[in-house]
């Protein structure tokens, strides 16, 4: 089999970016070009390079492999080795294109320079290394405005890749009738160790207030049903602080049914291990979620949400990324970090959820501090009892999404670059 003469390298980091940016772009690129791995005789190869990032979980390569979109996937732990000796990871032709789609933009700059390829960046908020980019795909005009005047011509405003999620989430499999609440307790173990006990008790409390509601828990690819069950037991010290637990798990009988967890109080929580679960999430009346990339996905799907950030458990603070996570790991700060960060956030009026950050105002409620499942259950009941409030939040989320078509526009530019490189 002849080697490819041109490589398109997508650079990314965590599960959120992979599912909402990388996957749709790769799928559409395959639908428009005859490229590898689907067409082994093609001269163009599509590859994925994962980069070091605190938001990554270590399971990204496994998740992306299931899509059958890439001829080769390099894991984050091998990134530096790839930079030092690319030939160790296969044949790299002299012509190629690197596309930044998550992580630190500098990694794609380094990789493109090492391979001698063109470098492009999808810039959500800012293009940090514009002089090292041959092309910048901007989410908004604001990104372009920040560029030096002589570099603006390198920038094309393509729109928000997240806005196309709702197009991808076509309702082929409608949820059964009922009021559906999505539970998103986190994807990292440190967050799940708090999220699972907290959300189990929250489900029990809400089921008591609204007996006819139904719960849906999409299992992140970075965890498993067994881990979720384990974190609900005494093996997890935090679980001892909550009254709820998992009584049993009922496996699905066939492909048309889901497995479900049944709590000690008899609340049923349906599980879905397909990833991403956008088709089902988009049909939920309300989502109860931790902070993270999932708030951007829910916003793109226009699913009303309540963002829950309980700071009473110090493990959660250690799971945070960036400077806060570093501070939270310092032993002498552990006793006061939860209260300190809560007060600081309130005084600074900073937002944690993507819709609020994007809008610069409170679009979705963020509940931070020493909060209880009972408090969130009561608030959830109030939202679910007010269809107008839910619809108002949904409409606000739709307005934030921006126009659709970013995936196609970005692919148009990628194909133009591929054709120019081939000449």
């Amino acid at each position: 089999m002849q080697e490819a003469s041109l490589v398109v390298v997508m650079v990314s980091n965590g599960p959120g970016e992979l599912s909402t940016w990388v996957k749709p772009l790769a799928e559409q690129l395959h639908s428009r070009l005859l490229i590898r791995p689907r067409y082994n005789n093609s001269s163009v190869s599509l590859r994925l390079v994962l980069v070091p990032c605190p938001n990554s979980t270590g399971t990204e390569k496994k998740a992306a492999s299931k899509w059958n979109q890439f001829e080769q996937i390099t894991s984050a732990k091998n990134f530096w080795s790839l930079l030092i000796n690319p030939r160790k990871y296969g044949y790299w032709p002299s012509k190629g294109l690197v596309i930044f789609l998550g992580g630190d933009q500098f990694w794609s700059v380094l990789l493109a320079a090492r391979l001698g390829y063109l470098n492009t960046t999808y810039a959500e908020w800012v293009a940090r290394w514009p002089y090292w980019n041959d092309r910048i795909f901007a989410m908004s005009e604001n990104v372009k405005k920040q560029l030096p005047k002589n570099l603006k011509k390198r920038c094309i405003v393509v729109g928000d890749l997240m806005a196309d999620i709702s197009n991808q989430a076509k309702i082929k499999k409608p949820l059964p009738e009922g009021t559906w609440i999505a539970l998103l307790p986190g994807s990292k173990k440190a967050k799940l160790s708090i999220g699972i006990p907290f959300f189990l008790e929250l489900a029990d409390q809400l089921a008591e207030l609204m007996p006819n509601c139904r719960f849906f828990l999409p299992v992140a690819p970075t965890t498993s049903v067994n881990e979720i069950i384990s974190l609900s037991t005494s093996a997890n010290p935090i679980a001892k602080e909550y009254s709820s637990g998992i009584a049993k798990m009922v496996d699905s009988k066939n492909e048309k049914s889901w497995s479900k967890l049944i709590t000690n109080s008899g609340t049923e929580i349906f599980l879905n291990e397909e990833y991403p679960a956008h088709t089902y999430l988009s049909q939920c009346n309300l989502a109860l979620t931790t902070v993270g990339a999932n708030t951007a996905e829910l916003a793109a799907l226009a699913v009303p949400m309540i963002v829950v950030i309980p700071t009473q458990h110090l493990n959660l603070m250690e799971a945070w990324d960036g400077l806060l996570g570093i501070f939270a790991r310092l032993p002498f700060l552990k006793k006061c970090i939860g209260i300190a960060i809560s007060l600081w956030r309130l005084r600074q009026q900073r937002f944690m959820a993507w819709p609020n950050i994007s809008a610069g105002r409170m679009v979705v409620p963020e509940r931070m501090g020493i909060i209880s499942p009972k408090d969130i259950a009561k608030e959830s009941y109030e939202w679910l009892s007010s269809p107008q409030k839910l619809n108002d939040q949904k409409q606000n989320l739709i307005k934030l999404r921006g126009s659709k078509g970013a995936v196609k526009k970005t692919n148009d530019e990628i194909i133009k670059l591929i054709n120019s490189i081939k000449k």
Side-chain angles (χ1 to χ4, degrees):
M1 184 176 67
Q2 187 178 0
E3 296 282 3
S5 59
L6 188 152
V7 172
V8 176
V9 186
M10 293 184 172
V11 172
S12 193
N13 59 333
E17 289 80 3
L18 281 174
S19 64
T20 57
W21 292 359
V22 173
K23 189 172 186 282
L25 279 173
E27 285 177 342
Q28 191 172 120
L29 198 58
H30 273 292
S31 71
R32 297 176 63 180
L33 293 179
L34 303 180
I35 58 177
R36 302 182 183 201
R38 294 189 181 177
Y39 297 90
N40 290 327
N41 294 323
S42 172
S43 62
V44 181
S45 169
L46 182 61
R47 302 179 188 180
L48 174 66
V49 172
L50 299 165
V51 294
C53 179
N55 291 319
S56 61
T57 60
T59 60
E60 286 79 13
K61 182 176 180 178
K62 182 180 178 182
S65 297
K66 296 177 181 178
W67 303 337
N68 298 317
Q69 301 284 346
F70 306 100
E71 185 175 39
Q72 179 180 309
I73 302 175
T74 305
S75 62
K77 68 179 181 180
N78 293 326
F79 178 73
W80 288 108
S81 177
L82 171 66
L83 274 181
I84 295 167
N85 184 14
R87 298 295 176 185
K88 182 180 177 181
Y89 297 89
Y91 172 71
W92 296 85
S94 60
K95 295 180 179 180
L97 173 66
V98 174
I99 308 167
F100 170 82
L101 293 166
D104 191 316
Q105 294 178 22
F106 189 58
W107 299 143
S108 66
V109 169
L110 282 179
L111 184 62
R114 180 66 180 90
L115 296 172
Y117 292 175
L118 295 183
N119 184 50
T120 64
T121 292
Y122 175 68
E124 193 176 17
W125 309 111
V126 62
R128 301 191 183 281
W129 305 93
Y131 287 96
W132 294 87
N133 276 279
D134 297 280
R135 191 77 80 249
I136 297 166
F137 309 132
M139 183 180 80
S140 67
E141 285 288 347
N142 189 49
V143 174
K144 193 169 186 175
K145 288 177 183 177
Q146 297 176 58
L147 295 172
K149 188 175 181 180
N150 63 321
L151 296 183
K152 291 185 188 294
K153 60 184 178 182
R154 298 185 188 182
C155 182
I156 297 107
V157 178
V158 295
D160 187 354
L161 290 176
M162 287 275 192
D164 286 356
I165 289 180
S166 57
N167 285 344
Q168 301 156 26
K170 295 178 181 177
I171 302 177
K172 299 175 183 177
K173 303 174 184 177
L175 288 171
E177 287 187 15
T179 299
W180 283 89
I181 297 102
L183 303 175
L184 289 87
S187 56
K188 297 179 182 179
K189 187 173 181 179
K191 284 187 179 180
L192 284 167
S193 65
I194 299 147
I196 294 302
F198 188 97
F199 277 65
L200 286 175
E201 186 164 316
L202 171 52
D204 280 342
Q205 293 280 352
L206 186 50
E208 190 175 327
L209 293 170
M210 186 176 268
N212 295 326
C213 67
R214 313 186 78 173
F215 296 97
F216 167 72
L217 195 159
V219 181
T222 52
T223 185
S224 66
V225 175
N226 287 336
E227 183 176 48
I228 288 171
I229 293 173
S230 175
L231 291 172
S232 72
T233 68
S234 58
N236 175 14
I238 293 173
K240 298 173 184 177
E241 299 184 31
Y242 295 89
S243 60
S244 297
I246 297 172
K248 63 178 178 178
M249 175 183 168
V250 179
D251 288 318
S252 60
K253 296 179 181 178
N254 51 57
E255 292 182 358
K256 295 183 179 180
S257 64
W258 285 339
S259 300
K260 62 183 176 182
L261 301 175
I262 301 178
T263 70
N264 295 336
S265 298
T267 305
E268 295 183 343
I269 301 173
F270 291 89
L271 305 171
N272 179 260
E273 296 182 71
E274 293 179 27
Y275 185 81
H278 295 154
T279 296
Y280 302 112
L281 283 173
S282 65
Q283 300 174 64
C284 290
N285 301 82
L286 179 68
L288 304 174
T289 178
T290 56
V291 72
N294 46 313
T295 63
E297 293 180 53
L298 291 168
L301 293 167
V303 179
M305 70 188 89
I306 298 174
V307 182
V308 181
I309 314 160
T311 59
Q312 64 263 41
H313 300 296
L314 299 172
N315 301 55
L316 177 62
M317 314 314 295
E318 293 182 51
W320 284 16
D321 308 311
L323 197 58
L324 293 181
I326 294 172
F327 284 161
R329 295 182 188 98
L330 298 175
F332 60 88
L333 284 180
K334 279 193 172 186
K335 292 184 179 180
C336 60
I337 192 69
I339 296 172
I341 291 176
S342 298
L343 291 173
W344 177 75
R345 284 288 182 184
L346 290 171
R347 289 188 68 179
Q348 295 293 318
Q349 295 184 329
R350 300 283 181 92
F351 298 118
M352 302 290 287
W354 182 91
N356 298 338
I357 295 170
S358 179
R361 61 185 177 87
M362 190 71 77
V363 175
V364 302
E366 295 180 8
R367 299 298 171 246
M368 170 187 268
I370 301 175
I371 51 178
S372 71
K374 188 173 184 178
D375 294 334
I376 305 302
K378 286 181 179 178
E379 183 171 5
S380 302
Y381 176 73
E382 290 170 4
W383 278 90
L384 292 166
S385 301
S386 178
Q388 186 58 53
K389 277 183 66 177
L390 286 175
N391 187 61
D392 288 346
Q393 189 187 136
K394 180 184 278 287
Q395 294 306 313
N396 284 330
L397 293 173
I398 289 171
K399 289 175 185 176
L400 280 179
R401 259 189 341 214
S403 59
K404 299 177 184 179
V407 171
K408 182 181 183 302
K409 289 177 185 175
T410 305
N411 262 302
D412 288 343
E413 297 302 321
I414 291 171
I415 292 170
K416 286 179 186 178
L417 288 169
I418 290 172
N419 291 334
S420 70
I421 295 170
K422 281 182 175 179
K423 292 179 181 177

